[in-house]
Structures are given as C-alpha cells and as structure tokens.
Amino acid sequence: MNIIQLALAEQVDEDKQLRALLEEMGVKHIDIVVEYIRNIGDNLHDILAMDQQQIQEIADRANESNFVQYLPAIWLATQFGKRDFIADFEAKISPQLLEFYDRYGQLIAKDFKLDYFPELMAQRKEYEHWVDGLGKMMNQSNENTAGKLIRQALAEEKGIDWLAEKLESSGQFKYNRARQTAQTEVFRAYSSTDYSSYMTNNDVIGLEWNHDSPKTPRENHMAMDGVRIAKGQTFNVGGYEARFPRDYNLPPEESVNCHCFLTPIMVGESL
C-alpha cells in the first residue's frame, strides 16, 4: 500500500468513526455532515501546508539578512502580512462553512415543516460573524508560533533545518489540526441550527445538555451531563454562559473538539 492509498484508508476509517460519533449524538443528516467535515478538512490542510511553506521562505530571508542577534518586529510583521493564509481561508473555507450552515439549516427547517425561519436566520448572522473572525484567529496562532521559532533560531543560531523541523513538529500545519477545526466548526453550525429549531418549536419547553466523551474529556463538560434548563435560559459551562455546546462566547478550551449535544425536553416532561 503506497502513501496515497494509506492516507485514503485512514480517511475512510476517520469517517467511519465520525459516523459512529454522530449517531451517538443523535445528529440528523449524517451524510452531509461527514461530507462537509471531510472536504473542509482537506481544503484547510492544503492552505496550512502552503502557509508552512511561505513561513519557511520568510525564515530563509531572515537567515540571509543581517538579523543575527534580533529580528525587527516591523520587518517580521511586514513579511507575515504578505502571506496568503487569510485570503485563502476567506476564499475557500469561509464559503464552505456558510454553505453547510445554509444547507443543514434548510434541511432542519424542512424536518419541522417550516420556512427558513427567523430564529435560524438570526443565528446564521451570528455564525457568519464568527466565521469572519475564524481565519484571523488561526492566522494569529500561526504567526505567534512561527515568530517565536524564527526569533529563537536566529538568536541561538539553530539553523534553518532546526527551524523547519520545529515548524513541522509544532502541529500548527498538520492534517490533524485541519480536520479537528473542520469538525469543531461544522459541529458549531449544526448546534446552532438545532438550537434554533428547538426555540421555534412550541412543544419544546426546555433543553438538556448531554456529554459525549472524547479521548480527553473535560471535567466541566462531564459535570454538565444531564443538566436541564427551561427554554430561553442558558447553561453555565465552567463559568461561561452558553445556549448550546460550542456557543460562540465559549473559549477554545470549552469548545474545540467538544462532542456535547442537546436534547429537547418536550411538553409533558419534567424539567
């Protein structure tokens, strides 16, 4: 089995595990969710790989300069500003995320025999605002990691090979980060649309938080398992208010790779 065949086999296994997780979470329209996570993850990985290459080129230019003891911040900021990461993210990833939101939202609306209802449209605006900032957040993370390593390589005369190895091992540009980001953001979108449908449904009187444990479960999320609130109230997740898992105001440590989900409490059930 060659490298390409091995990668495809690993992706098939990933998708199989993802389907099992989505079934446990009670997610609707699983085929579409898996499709978008796979495609967004692959595209984001390509963008990250290109960014790693462009950062390496910046490091090469710094190494060829006279910046031996220190690296002027303005020079590095200017070089980083010439990279294509944000433009590529906004051209390729943002539209895919919004396309998923609309497609999944329309299916949820159809499930409930509703138009693309106002509650969902309002949530869509929130998601669009979130996506607008997502590429910038990832870009800043890449710059922080790369900037620190470039300065260290120059100050300690580590050399370009050392820097290339450190960039590769940082995890910032690997497929795993791309796939995890794709999964988190698609999960965030489906959580938002499901929440909107529950808020619109007059038969729903409350919501229950359910914890589905990843490999490294969060104590805050385990503590939330089974917590119920009345419709319109918010959950308290580690001191942060949240309407649903991966809500926009939750920090990364409470949202990235989160597998939690909501179930509706219907008329006649107890809170």
Side-chain angles (χ1 to χ4, degrees):
M1 183 178 291
N2 60 35
I3 294 177
I4 295 177
Q5 290 173 324
L6 181 61
L8 289 174
E10 289 178 349
Q11 189 175 67
V12 169
D13 186 56
E14 273 187 326
D15 288 351
K16 183 178 179 180
Q17 293 179 38
L18 176 58
R19 285 179 180 277
L21 171 63
L22 293 170
E23 289 174 1
E24 289 179 14
M25 296 167 67
V27 175
K28 307 175 184 69
H29 310 293
I30 289 177
D31 287 345
I32 290 173
V33 176
V34 172
E35 172 192 343
Y36 275 87
I37 289 175
R38 182 196 309 120
N39 292 340
I40 292 171
D42 288 346
N43 289 339
L44 182 54
H45 182 224
D46 290 342
I47 293 172
L48 287 169
M50 177 60 69
D51 197 40
Q52 181 177 358
Q53 179 180 328
Q54 291 182 340
I55 287 173
Q56 186 65 53
E57 291 170 357
I58 292 171
D60 291 342
R61 290 195 292 273
N63 189 56
E64 293 169 359
S65 70
N66 295 320
F67 304 142
V68 178
Q69 298 299 324
Y70 70 97
L71 186 64
I74 191 169
W75 183 90
L76 189 58
T78 300
Q79 295 298 312
F80 279 158
K82 296 177 181 178
R83 290 162 39 249
D84 298 323
F85 181 83
I86 292 179
D88 287 345
F89 188 98
E90 291 177 348
K92 298 176 182 178
I93 304 304
S94 297
Q96 280 189 291
L97 289 170
L98 295 175
E99 179 182 282
F100 170 78
Y101 194 99
D102 290 336
R103 188 174 175 188
Y104 189 84
Q106 288 163 2
L107 289 170
I108 293 299
K110 186 177 180 181
D111 290 341
F112 285 91
K113 297 181 174 58
L114 299 167
D115 293 326
Y116 201 62
F117 42 92
E119 175 68 31
L120 186 56
M121 292 181 68
Q123 284 290 329
R124 203 269 192 190
K125 290 180 180 178
E126 285 191 68
Y127 188 69
E128 183 175 0
H129 179 73
W130 170 261
V131 169
D132 282 345
L134 181 61
K136 296 179 180 66
M137 285 190 290
M138 293 191 70
N139 178 69
Q140 188 62 58
S141 178
N142 290 356
E143 288 187 2
N144 290 345
T145 297
K148 180 179 179 181
L149 290 173
I150 290 172
R151 289 189 179 91
Q152 183 179 355
L154 292 173
E156 300 177 12
E157 300 182 356
K158 295 287 190 181
I160 290 300
D161 290 341
W162 176 89
L163 178 59
E165 180 182 344
K166 288 297 183 180
L167 285 173
E168 178 66 23
S169 63
S170 70
Q172 288 289 111
F173 310 96
K174 287 185 174 294
Y175 171 77
N176 286 347
R177 185 189 182 205
R179 175 80 177 200
Q180 184 181 81
T181 299
Q183 179 170 303
T184 297
E185 298 313 320
V186 168
F187 279 15
R188 199 187 308 273
Y190 105 74
S191 292
S192 173
T193 55
D194 276 3
Y195 174 80
S196 298
S197 71
Y198 299 149
M199 295 302 290
T200 303
N201 190 336
N202 292 329
D203 292 329
V204 174
I205 63 169
L207 300 169
E208 178 178 300
W209 187 291
N210 298 273
H211 176 257
D212 190 286
S213 177
K215 293 180 180 179
T216 54
R218 301 168 174 86
E219 290 186 8
N220 289 338
H221 292 209
M222 289 190 291
M224 293 299 300
D225 191 43
V227 172
R228 292 186 165 197
I229 60 171
K231 189 174 182 177
Q233 294 182 345
T234 56
F235 295 96
N236 187 312
V237 185
Y240 299 94
E241 289 190 358
R243 296 163 296 178
F244 49 84
R246 298 163 295 278
D247 201 350
Y248 310 109
N249 65 307
L250 290 174
E253 60 269 22
E254 299 291 359
S255 59
V256 173
N257 205 32
C258 169
H259 298 169
C260 296
F261 59 97
L262 298 180
T263 52
I265 303 169
M266 312 303 290
V267 171
E269 297 183 57
S270 61
L271 289 171

